[in-house]
Amino acid sequence: MGPNNVNLAALIGSRICHDLISPIGAINNGLELLGMSGGPPGPEIDLIQESVGNASARIRFFRIAFGAAGEQMMGRAEVISILDDLMDGGRLDVAWGPMDAQPRFAVRMSFLALQCLENAMPYGGRIEISQDGGNWLLHGRADKLNIDEPLWSILATKEPPKDLRPAQVQFALLPLIAGDDGRRVITEITENEVKLRF
């Protein structure tokens, strides 16, 4: 997949996220109006609120990870808000280290890398994301890792298998986007730790 195809895929991702966030926001607004009308809260409303919150968090994350990324900056508070909402109630604890605003394309790469680590940590754990002099490190620790070697090899070879599933697309996309920025993705895996640098 060449740069033009990657850019086209990113524009498609941006369009989908943009078109979905409005109706999800409208549902959330409708739920707030229901709450203000004094109707009795119930498990049905709770389920809808939880589902809308989850969908909104995922759309916000996907918009950065799979959407078009320009030179604009993303503040620490915005990134942490997205990650906190995404991980709320989950098994993973994610710590965003950079204190300063970061270029959106760099946050995009870190979000794709985060999805790679998430794939390796299905039983939970902690992921720390740090940046030093333009170099990024994602460091995951877990009692138990589940490393799918063929998937992780894509990060080095940039050659995804023909049977790559949609849930694994981050492994194919990350090295291409990193390569466009003149970066190489480096992995280090031990029994309880996985590190991903770019």
Side-chain angles (χ1 to χ4, degrees):
M1 182 183 284
N4 288 336
N5 289 334
V6 171
N7 292 337
L8 182 59
L11 290 173
I12 292 169
S14 290
R15 173 63 191 262
I16 291 170
C17 291
H18 179 270
D19 288 358
L20 287 178
I21 200 68
S22 292
I24 289 172
I27 295 169
N28 196 45
N29 290 341
L31 288 170
E32 288 179 8
L33 289 173
L34 279 173
M36 292 182 349
S37 69
E44 300 87 356
I45 297 294
D46 291 343
L47 179 60
I48 295 170
Q49 284 178 324
E50 182 181 336
S51 297
V52 167
N54 186 282
S56 178
R58 288 183 177 279
I59 291 289
R60 290 172 65 211
F61 180 86
F62 291 158
R63 192 173 193 178
I64 303 300
F66 297 109
E71 295 293 324
Q72 67 267 38
M73 304 295 280
M74 289 187 67
R76 174 179 169 83
E78 181 182 3
V79 175
I80 288 177
S81 171
I82 292 170
L83 293 175
D84 285 350
D85 289 348
L86 183 72
M87 298 299 164
D88 186 33
R91 297 177 178 177
L92 278 178
D93 177 31
V94 178
W96 179 262
M99 300 300 292
D100 299 331
Q102 298 295 324
R104 184 171 172 146
F105 71 85
V107 177
R108 179 188 190 194
M109 286 188 285
S110 68
F111 278 15
L112 289 169
L114 173 61
Q115 285 192 301
C116 293
L117 267 68
E118 190 177 20
N119 181 278
M121 302 169 68
Y123 310 106
R126 179 174 173 83
I127 299 172
E128 296 174 356
I129 303 171
S130 59
Q131 185 262 7
D132 183 25
N135 298 311
W136 289 80
L137 168 66
L138 283 87
H139 185 182
R141 297 180 189 88
D143 292 336
K144 185 175 181 183
L145 296 175
N146 183 15
I147 303 295
D148 186 337
E149 292 290 347
L151 280 181
W152 284 85
S153 70
I154 298 169
L155 296 174
T157 66
K158 300 183 184 180
E159 296 179 9
K162 295 190 187 308
D163 62 347
L164 188 71
R165 298 193 308 271
Q168 303 165 337
V169 71
Q170 63 271 17
F171 287 95
L173 193 54
L174 176 59
L176 296 177
I177 291 172
D180 285 348
D181 194 46
R183 298 171 183 265
R184 192 164 58 96
V185 180
I186 300 168
T187 60
E188 180 184 335
I189 300 170
T190 63
E191 184 178 356
N192 301 109
E193 293 183 287
V194 54
K195 295 180 181 178
L196 201 157
R197 306 175 194 272
F198 54 85

